[in-house]
Each structure stands twice: as C-alpha cells, then as structure tokens.
Amino acid sequence: DNGTVWKDTNGDEIHAQGGNIIQEGATFHWFGMQYPIWKAVNHYTSTDLKTWTKQAPALTPGMSGIPFGATNWVGRPFVMKNPNAGQTPYVMTIEWALGSATVRNRFCFLTATSLDGPWTFHASKTINNFRIINKLLNIIKPWFPIFVNLNSIQIYKITSR
C-alpha cells in the first residue's frame, strides 16, 4: 500500500532508498540505501515482490577495499548483469560525492560473482559538468548509462576495462 511503511520478514522497516530490483531465477533482489547518514547498501530478497527478507548488506562504510566512508554522500545503487560475464557476472554502479553532498558527480563501478557479494570496487568516473547526477535514466544494451542533469545529457559506454 502507498503511504505505509514496508516491513521485512523480521518486522523491521525496509531501508532501500534510491535502489533497484533485479530478478535472478525466481528470486527478486532489491538493493537500496539506508539513510539518513549512509549506513549501508541494503539487500533484500523476495519471490513474490511483497514479502521481503533482509540479507547481509551489500556495502557498509569501512568495508575493505571500498574508498567511500561514512562521511561521504553515497547513493542510488544500481545492480545489473554484466554483459561481458566472465567471472564477475554482476555490476553495481553507485553515485559518490567525495566531499560535499551538493557535488555528487562520481559514478563508481563494483563487481561480484554473486548477488550476495562480496562486492569489489574497480573504478570511479567523474561525470564532468554535473553537480548532481539526478537520475540514471536507462541502461541500453550494450551498456550505455544515460545521465540527465537540468539542461544536459551525457552518454557513456561501459566496457570490460
């Protein structure tokens, strides 16, 4: 129901702001942020899109190999299948503000062999001339993220490097 707080199977409030859902087999995986200060990229699973079970967080501040910490703004995780598959069939992209939350123009790339992780940080890309990446509009095969910000659009091709 709209306007109600969703609860997981433990009766706890679901924290998954700005995230997305990806289906793998009969299971849906929901990744999203836990705020107000970023505490985790949470991971929930469901087979009916109504009953959600909380899994171990995908990312938390201070995780080994993750360059963003609790004092950085982090948001809008987007998990998808890697078209270059190989040994890392999943990719997570996430926004990252190095300093001020008002300049959120870095796009980070992490990979995992399973939707349950662990997630490995690979790189970040500064999206030039963007103060805030308002929305990752779409992913068009073979992986062209499209960024829209007020008066401009930027398109990048994601490659295997």
Side-chain angles (χ1 to χ4, degrees):
D1 293 325
N2 287 333
T4 61
V5 174
W6 283 22
K7 308 269 183 167
D8 65 19
T9 54
N10 290 327
D12 297 321
E13 184 175 336
I14 292 177
H15 293 278
Q17 189 269 339
N20 79 300
I21 296 173
I22 180 172
Q23 184 177 3
E24 185 66 27
T27 304
F28 298 93
H29 297 260
W30 185 2
F31 294 87
M33 301 304 298
Q34 182 172 346
Y35 285 123
I37 298 169
W38 101 271
K39 295 179 182 173
V41 173
N42 284 329
H43 176 202
Y44 298 88
T45 56
S46 174
T47 56
D48 62 8
L49 294 173
K50 184 176 179 181
T51 308
W52 293 94
T53 303
K54 187 173 185 182
Q55 306 299 319
L59 301 174
T60 58
M63 268 187 161
S64 178
I66 306 298
F68 32 86
T71 59
N72 295 131
W73 186 94
V74 179
R76 297 184 180 95
F78 191 88
V79 176
M80 62 204 107
K81 284 196 160 204
N82 182 348
N84 300 313
Q87 296 190 12
T88 55
Y90 302 101
V91 173
M92 179 188 295
T93 60
I94 195 165
E95 278 185 60
W96 171 28
L98 277 173
S100 166
T102 61
V103 182
R104 302 188 315 248
N105 65 343
R106 294 184 73 75
F107 198 53
C108 300
F109 300 88
L110 301 99
T111 61
T113 57
S114 163
L115 287 168
D116 295 320
W119 292 91
T120 303
F121 177 83
H122 289 280
S124 64
K125 168 75 177 158
T126 300
I127 311 301
N128 293 320
N129 304 317
F130 274 51
R131 288 188 53 78
I132 297 175
I133 303 169
N134 284 341
K135 189 171 186 182
L136 174 63
L137 277 187
N138 203 352
I139 299 288
I140 304 169
K141 291 182 180 180
W143 285 35
F144 291 91
I146 301 170
F147 302 97
V148 174
N149 186 31
L150 301 179
N151 298 318
S152 61
I153 294 176
Q154 292 187 23
I155 300 174
Y156 290 88
K157 181 176 182 183
I158 300 174
T159 63
S160 59
R161 296 202 273 142

